[in-house]
Amino acid sequence: MEYNHNEISAIAEMKISVFFMKVKNICCIGAGYVGGPTMAIIAQKSPEINVTVVDINEKRIAAWNDPDVEKIPIYEPGLSEVVAEARGRNLFFSTDVDAAIDAADMIFISVNTPTKTYGIGKGMAADLKYIELCARQIARVAKNDKIIVEKSTLPVRTAEALKRILDNTGNGVNFQILSNPEFLAEGTAVTDLHKPDRVLIGGDLDTEAGREAIQALVDVYGHWVSDDNILTTNVWSSELSKLTANAFLAQRVSSINAMSELCEVTEADVQEVAKAIGMDSRIGPKFLKASVGFGGSCFQKDILNLVYIAKSFGLNEVADYWEQVILMNDHQKRRFAAKIVKTLFNTVSGKKIALLGWAFKKDTNDTRESAAIYVADYLLNEQAEIVVYDPKVTQEQILADLDYLGTRSEEENRKLISVVNSAQEACEAAHAVAVMTEWDAFKTLDWEAIYEGMLKPAFLFDGRRLLDKEALTAIGFEFYAIGS
């Protein structure tokens, strides 16, 4: 049988994998701290690609679509401007998950992967039920070939489970699974996305379809990221790299915090120690700031996941090593709270303690695993009266964080803790003030007026090494800073 030139071309086109085609429609399942900002930047930098972010949380999607772009649900410097530029042009937020999946060439999975609170692996393993639900929904809806991108932080070899679900429950379409972990720091997420240290893409390097899928995602990022900053690897290395990066960073924080306690009993200053060792080019200065402890959605969750993976393979010494990073962090929060109690003459019962800051770090409204939650809980157990001020965190979120711990009833939490609208109000008639988040605005508060309004002696506990000890001591404060 003979074919003319046009027929041969048509047959050749039919055989070209969908993965080789340019991506025109992206769907992201999950409108949280990773999915929302990442998709906003992709839409901003790739105006020819339609980007739809979907979530079953109607309230969250409504907030992303709020006409007042300053009311989007995530606070990140510069994010509202990016959303304003792209929203309605090629960036869309929707609760119609099926429609977005159906239209997409590439689907990012960016749903929550919390630590399990039940069953095997309780307290350590990642809970992958939301990931599996996403996979089954994609398999049910998809009618043409798709590239699936793991954006959530996942245990190594999760891609294998995704592949099995998609291939065995789908409609006979082909799926390629990529790992594209995020390396964002909350508070600088927009900058991190605009100028990433690296973009890591893991996929099936052994097949043509796998390599084409990787290239399709490389081309998306290639709109603004240079080839030198895009790293491609196999999917397993990519999945494990995210856990490893967070473990190494958290390890540095716990290491300097361990030294902070030693500094306090030897009259050394941890800030001076950190500066000295940070000037060593082999060590460097980053993540060497002593504090009341690290928080956020990633560090603790990812290290616990790493511990669980190591234990599941019988690597107990490896597991014990990484678990100590978490134990040190927990100890730092407990000892800071205990220092407040001890300094206030061994009792805080009925005493007003002002906590300045509730977010786990400045320039974000994210409170997950914030040190403030655990310090507040400890002090509430000692029957303190807690007053909180944070410039970006709502009363609803603060109460929800305490309720989640389950230490006491919701009714009790609402009796024992109050949330106010200014630092001055929080500190009025307080026995002590504790700085829990390093918001820049706390540096320039009218500390003389705050001192005048407090009960005496007026105690000030700096959990972030943010304030000028000499200036505040001169005002009259009994001042304590971690590591000095």
Side-chain angles (χ1 to χ4, degrees):
M1 184 179 292
E2 294 183 358
Y3 297 95
N4 62 34
H5 176 75
N6 290 336
E7 289 172 324
I8 292 171
S9 296
I11 292 168
E13 285 181 11
M14 288 171 62
K15 291 183 178 179
I16 293 176
S17 166
V18 70
F19 305 128
F20 190 76
M21 295 167 61
K22 254 183 137 40
V23 172
K24 296 178 182 177
N25 293 287
I26 287 176
C27 162
C28 177
I29 304 175
Y33 282 89
V34 175
T38 303
M39 294 303 112
I41 299 298
I42 288 177
Q44 180 196 34
K45 297 295 186 180
S46 314
E48 79 281 10
I49 299 176
N50 284 322
V51 180
T52 303
V53 184
V54 292
D55 202 296
I56 59 173
N57 187 327
E58 294 181 3
K59 184 177 178 182
R60 179 180 292 173
I61 291 298
W64 279 112
N65 284 321
D66 196 299
D68 183 354
V69 78
E70 295 299 326
K71 293 182 179 178
I72 59 175
I74 292 171
Y75 174 73
E76 279 286 336
L79 179 59
S80 59
E81 290 85 350
V82 173
V83 172
E85 178 183 340
R87 192 176 64 184
R89 180 191 69 188
N90 66 320
L91 175 64
F92 308 96
F93 297 92
S94 172
T95 56
D96 193 344
V97 182
D98 283 3
I101 289 172
D102 184 44
D105 308 310
M106 179 178 284
I107 301 170
F108 286 78
I109 297 179
S110 188
V111 296
N112 196 16
T113 53
T115 302
K116 284 185 74 175
T117 57
Y118 58 90
I120 297 171
K122 177 182 178 180
M124 285 191 180
D127 190 341
L128 301 180
K129 66 181 179 182
Y130 302 114
I131 296 291
E132 182 171 341
L133 288 171
C134 280
R136 293 188 182 279
Q137 187 168 8
I138 292 167
R140 173 177 59 79
V141 173
K143 300 181 186 67
N144 58 327
D145 296 355
K146 310 281 186 189
I147 301 171
I148 311 300
V149 184
E150 298 175 337
K151 200 66 184 172
S152 303
T153 301
L154 300 169
V156 64
R157 312 252 356 150
T158 300
E160 187 173 40
L162 280 175
K163 182 74 171 166
R164 288 181 63 188
I165 291 168
L166 290 165
D167 287 348
N168 285 288
T169 60
N171 300 315
V173 301
N174 296 310
F175 296 98
Q176 281 294 320
I177 315 295
L178 303 180
S179 170
N180 176 220
E182 53 86 14
F183 296 101
L184 307 179
E186 290 184 42
T188 59
V190 172
T191 302
D192 295 340
L193 286 162
H194 277 154
K195 297 180 180 178
D197 290 336
R198 78 293 202 194
V199 171
L200 180 60
I201 301 171
D204 183 0
L205 295 169
D206 297 326
T207 66
E208 182 64 25
R211 291 189 291 271
E212 288 172 358
I214 291 171
Q215 187 59 48
L217 186 52
V218 167
D219 290 344
V220 171
Y221 283 109
H223 284 84
W224 77 98
V225 182
S226 70
D227 289 344
D228 292 341
N229 291 89
I230 301 177
L231 176 64
T232 58
T233 182
N234 74 56
V235 69
W236 321 125
S237 296
S238 177
E239 288 179 332
L240 190 55
S241 292
K242 170 61 176 176
L243 297 182
T244 305
N246 280 341
F248 271 57
L249 294 174
Q251 177 196 54
R252 285 173 69 92
V253 177
S254 281
S255 293
I256 200 65
N257 281 343
M259 292 299 104
S260 73
E261 188 169 11
L262 187 58
C263 285
E264 289 172 26
V265 298
T266 57
E267 298 187 16
D269 189 308
V270 72
Q271 208 152 285
E272 294 175 1
V273 172
K275 183 177 180 180
I277 66 171
M279 291 178 74
D280 187 326
S281 60
R282 297 167 300 175
I283 298 173
K286 294 184 177 180
F287 281 79
L288 288 180
K289 183 156 186 175
S291 70
V292 68
F294 61 72
S297 63
C298 291
F299 280 4
Q300 177 160 313
K301 174 173 69 74
D302 289 357
I303 295 172
L304 289 172
N305 197 2
L306 193 60
V307 169
Y308 180 73
I309 292 169
K311 285 185 174 181
S312 69
F313 284 106
L315 308 178
N316 294 323
E317 291 79 8
V318 174
D320 291 345
Y321 177 82
W322 288 112
E323 189 169 17
Q324 190 59 43
V325 174
I326 297 296
L327 295 176
M328 185 65 229
N329 193 53
D330 291 341
H331 169 68
Q332 189 77 342
K333 290 180 280 192
R334 282 194 306 272
R335 81 177 189 89
F336 183 77
K339 180 73 174 181
I340 294 174
V341 175
K342 183 178 180 181
T343 304
L344 269 65
F345 315 113
N346 289 314
T347 180
V348 292
S349 179
K351 294 180 180 178
K352 179 180 175 181
I353 312 294
L355 300 187
L356 298 185
W358 193 266
F360 86 91
K361 63 183 290 189
K362 72 173 183 176
D363 293 335
T364 180
N365 59 350
D366 193 352
T367 65
R368 287 174 289 182
E369 295 300 329
S370 171
I373 300 169
Y374 298 95
V375 171
D377 190 56
Y378 185 105
L379 294 174
L380 289 173
N381 285 341
E382 293 291 324
Q383 299 184 351
E385 296 176 6
I386 303 296
V387 182
V388 180
Y389 167 69
D390 187 287
K392 293 296 178 182
V393 181
T394 64
Q395 175 176 302
E396 179 185 16
Q397 184 62 54
I398 290 168
L399 292 171
D401 290 335
L402 283 171
D403 292 343
Y404 182 77
L405 294 181
T407 308
R408 60 194 69 78
S409 70
E410 293 183 10
E411 186 180 9
E412 283 182 284
N413 283 334
R414 280 146 187 78
K415 284 181 181 178
L416 294 171
I417 194 165
S418 57
V419 181
V420 297
N421 295 318
S422 73
Q424 184 81 42
E425 184 181 355
C427 299
E428 185 66 32
H431 291 76
V433 176
V435 176
M436 303 303 301
T437 308
E438 69 279 22
W439 287 103
D440 290 335
F442 294 161
K443 295 179 187 176
T444 55
L445 292 174
D446 188 344
W447 285 105
E448 289 189 5
I450 288 173
Y451 175 79
E452 289 301 320
M454 289 177 64
L455 299 182
K456 309 298 185 297
F459 295 98
L460 178 53
F461 299 86
D462 187 355
R464 295 292 171 181
R465 297 292 302 235
L466 184 73
L467 306 176
D468 184 333
K469 179 179 179 179
E470 289 186 8
L472 290 161
T473 302
I475 290 172
F477 283 104
E478 297 284 334
F479 187 91
Y480 163 78
I482 279 180
S484 65

